Amino acid sequence: MIKGIAISTIWVLDQDRAKEFYTEKLGLEVRTDMRMGGEKGMRWLTVGGKDQPDVELTLMVPGPPGMDPESATALKQLVSKGLMGAGVLATDDAHGAYAELKAKGVEFVQEPQERPYGIEAIFRDDSGNWFSLTQRREQLDLGADWGQ
């Protein structure tokens, strides 16, 4: 029986640069950074939130062993164009997180805005993947009915 999601893949263009972005700018911690198959083998790099030990993001460069060169090239082009949505990152203070991340040089494509589900800002990682940074509606004390 499936118990939940343990690891999800984020396609990146450079693992060293991604490691720096996800740890130094987003504040995630490195969980695993190792080579499989020797010194020239595939690099397995995972990060995760300090308060969420059971979920990891693996930062993978498209390519072998699981992907042919043509597909890897196509996927890298999609990532670099900013066409890949990588997910939603939760926060309990969208405006505060936005200000903190923007000060660290994170590129936002949308400032925090009120939505039916909460407050959302959208940013890109160093490879071009976009993320929703969301403060869920239940965490808000706005006194509004949000149209419901």
Side-chain angles (χ1 to χ4, degrees):
M1 169 98 17
I2 295 173
K3 293 171 46 177
I5 295 174
I7 300 174
S8 185
T9 300
I10 306 294
W11 297 109
V12 300
L13 303 178
D14 179 288
Q15 285 178 306
D16 288 326
R17 220 176 58 218
K19 179 180 177 180
E20 180 181 328
F21 179 87
Y22 283 83
T23 59
E24 294 181 19
K25 292 190 178 185
L26 299 187
L28 301 180
E29 62 184 14
V30 173
R31 300 282 175 74
T32 307
D33 190 354
M34 60 180 272
R35 294 267 177 201
M36 298 165 110
E39 190 174 309
K40 295 189 184 219
M42 181 186 85
R43 184 177 181 188
W44 183 252
L45 173 61
T46 69
V47 296
K50 293 176 177 75
D51 296 328
Q52 197 174 24
D54 55 339
V55 177
E56 297 178 67
L57 301 174
T58 182
L59 306 175
M60 297 292 296
V61 175
M67 191 177 298
D68 64 86
E70 183 180 328
S71 296
T73 298
L75 185 52
K76 287 176 185 177
Q77 289 174 342
L78 291 172
V79 169
S80 66
K81 287 181 178 182
L83 299 176
M84 302 292 288
V88 177
L89 299 178
T91 181
D92 56 2
D93 179 6
H95 291 284
Y98 168 80
E100 179 184 339
L101 294 174
K102 191 165 177 73
K104 291 181 178 181
V106 173
E107 174 195 353
F108 278 84
V109 295
Q110 176 192 291
E111 296 179 1
Q113 295 182 8
E114 292 183 13
R115 303 280 187 223
Y117 47 83
I119 299 175
E120 174 188 58
I122 298 176
F123 70 89
R124 294 193 193 283
D125 72 4
D126 65 301
S127 293
N129 296 298
W130 61 269
F131 286 87
S132 167
L133 175 66
T134 300
Q135 179 180 352
R136 303 272 313 208
R137 182 174 174 207
E138 332 38 276
Q139 297 171 320
L140 301 172
D141 183 24
L142 301 177
D145 69 355
W146 290 73
Q148 295 181 4

